[in-house]
Amino acid sequence: MTDLPILERVRRRLAVDTSEPSPHSVAAALRAEHHVAGSATVLALVDQLRSETRGAGLLDPLLATPGVTDVLVNGPDEVYIDRGRGLERSAVRFADEESVRRLAQRLAAQAGRRLDDASPWVDARLGDGTRLHAVLAPVAWPGTLVSLRVPARRSFSLDELRSSGSLTDDIVQLLRRIIAARAAFVVTGGTGSGKTTLLAALLAAVDPNERLVIVEDATELRPDHPHVVGLEARPANVEGAGLVTVRDLVRQALRMRPDRLVVGEVRGAEVVDLLAALNTGHEGGCGTLHANSPRDVPARFEALGVAAGLPRDAVHSQLAASVDLVIHLASGRDGVRRVEQIATLERGRDGAVACVPALTLGHSGAERGPGYPRLETLFR
């Protein structure tokens, strides 16, 4: 194990030098500290110091691990990964709290953001598309918290999702019919349920002659489609200027002649413009929405719309007229993410919209629900 005191002393000596640590500079720093070390120790120090100045340092091997979607750091002693089967504790450890803090600040700086005691949290996207969220201690405990969301390295087709067990043959055929019918839909589910993965696969099945315009808070959707363009939101800079919201971008997207308007995740005031767009001739629009069950979807739209200044009745009126279906995902006990239910949105006598199950999928197969006739009418 590396001698932490000597590592810190070498680090301080090299801090005045802006060049990358090298065997020569590390050896010179060791001599200045009157520390005798062999070539193996020098090279180990060089590797460790370089890891602190490149990429995500100690976390780079985890981020490069196939299948990893999230890397979570809870202070210096707890590092977790998610490979789609729930959280797993890794063997990675940081030397101390200061090491985690330095990493978080360096990653924030790479994204052009400020992270210090005056601004103790950051939400940004790194150059390779990785989503960074960090909160410094003592605001966070047990230490500085770092959350890294790894972008999808590739898009999956519906057939590939069927092969992985996420979809059945019947559901693949049904989803293709939904796309061909230009039905407007939202893909829902909890955190890590695979919403973005499924939406990308659905968009890949869209007619190649159609133009997809995707609006996202942070770029994640990469559908395998020949005509797709994207708009990405931008936070304000340290002076508070330059903010570009998803709502701003939805309005811009409407002027870009979209055949399909896609909002990567509906979670703010953009819901007003999205519902208005889908209700004024923009068929086949879609997006994702965080919801624990289909029946929660109308309430989620209501909460977002009311918070954006839209009256409750207007939210339900536009929702009923603009969104046709909800495709809900859930992770099973075996860790596989599957389509759990397809539901229709129907307005009741009281004016409120409700999710009505059309197909519910379980171990015994697909069970038709009261919303199935409405689903069939979409295909005519």
Side-chain angles (χ1 to χ4, degrees):
M1 181 179 292
T2 302
D3 184 349
L4 295 180
I6 192 60
L7 173 62
E8 184 60 32
R9 295 201 297 273
V10 170
R11 183 187 290 119
R12 290 176 180 175
R13 283 192 173 272
L14 296 179
V16 297
D17 187 0
T18 57
S19 61
E20 186 175 89
S22 67
H24 176 75
S25 61
V26 169
L30 287 171
R31 287 194 299 271
E33 291 291 333
H34 307 289
H35 187 90
V36 179
S39 58
T41 300
V42 171
L43 293 176
L45 284 169
V46 170
D47 288 342
Q48 187 157 352
L49 291 167
R50 284 180 175 176
S51 74
E52 295 179 357
T53 58
R54 292 178 175 177
L58 295 177
L59 303 181
D60 274 335
L62 300 181
L63 293 170
T65 301
V68 167
T69 59
D70 296 87
V71 176
L72 309 175
V73 180
N74 303 344
D77 299 321
E78 298 181 18
V79 179
Y80 293 85
I81 62 173
D82 186 354
R83 285 185 277 199
R85 301 187 296 270
L87 293 178
E88 310 169 38
R89 190 164 181 171
S90 78
V92 173
R93 300 288 183 275
F94 287 83
D96 49 31
E97 163 60 23
E98 185 60 29
S99 299
V100 185
R101 184 184 181 96
R102 277 197 305 269
L103 172 64
Q105 291 177 317
R106 181 166 57 78
L107 292 176
Q110 288 178 11
R113 304 295 301 281
R114 172 182 171 184
L115 184 62
D116 52 31
D117 289 335
S119 182
W121 56 77
V122 68
D123 187 11
R125 187 172 68 88
L126 304 180
D128 64 354
T130 299
R131 184 68 178 270
L132 163 71
H133 185 270
V135 185
L136 297 180
V139 174
W141 61 274
T144 294
L145 306 180
V146 180
S147 304
L148 295 169
R149 168 62 63 87
V150 183
R153 295 180 174 89
R154 59 181 292 265
S155 295
F156 294 89
S157 67
L158 291 175
D159 291 333
E160 287 174 317
L161 293 180
R162 174 178 55 194
S163 299
S164 69
S166 296
L167 305 174
T168 65
D169 291 342
D170 291 341
I171 293 301
V172 169
Q173 293 179 13
L174 181 60
L175 293 176
R176 291 188 185 279
R177 293 181 70 190
I178 290 172
I179 292 296
R182 300 184 60 80
F185 62 89
V186 288
V187 179
T188 64
T191 301
S193 58
K195 300 185 294 295
T196 301
T197 299
L198 178 60
L199 180 56
L202 290 168
L203 293 176
V206 170
D207 189 317
N209 294 319
E210 295 187 30
R211 173 178 169 89
L212 310 181
V213 180
I214 300 177
V215 177
E216 294 181 272
D217 184 53
T219 301
E220 291 184 296
L221 279 170
R222 292 177 173 84
D224 184 12
H225 189 276
H227 195 161
V228 55
V229 296
L231 301 174
E232 182 181 36
R234 183 179 67 194
N237 59 23
V238 291
E239 287 82 22
L243 175 67
V244 178
T245 68
V246 173
R247 186 172 188 180
D248 295 330
L249 297 179
V250 169
R251 294 172 180 171
Q252 300 308 311
L254 295 177
R255 297 176 174 87
M256 296 170 63
R257 199 242 175 243
D259 288 309
R260 306 257 184 170
L261 174 62
V262 183
V263 177
E265 182 176 1
V266 182
R267 59 178 179 180
E270 67 273 3
V271 69
V272 175
D273 300 282
L274 176 64
L275 290 177
L278 297 180
N279 201 21
T280 53
H282 292 276
E283 297 180 342
C286 54
T288 71
L289 181 78
H290 189 103
N292 293 325
S293 69
R295 65 174 176 272
D296 297 331
V297 171
R300 285 281 292 143
F301 271 102
E302 180 182 318
L304 294 174
V306 171
L310 202 62
R312 179 180 182 274
D313 290 345
V315 174
H316 283 269
S317 294
Q318 295 213 34
L319 182 59
S322 58
V323 180
D324 300 307
L325 297 170
V326 171
I327 303 170
H328 187 73
L329 289 161
S331 296
R333 293 182 179 179
D334 55 1
V336 178
R337 301 154 177 170
R338 297 182 175 90
V339 172
E340 186 178 69
Q341 189 176 95
I342 297 176
T344 59
L345 288 172
E346 301 181 25
R347 199 172 188 187
R349 293 182 178 178
D350 59 354
V353 172
C355 260
V356 181
L359 277 178
T360 301
L361 294 101
H363 295 295
S364 57
E367 179 182 344
R368 294 185 181 184
Y372 191 81
R374 164 66 177 158
L375 177 63
E376 283 291 327
T377 62
L378 295 174
F379 301 143
R380 298 191 187 122

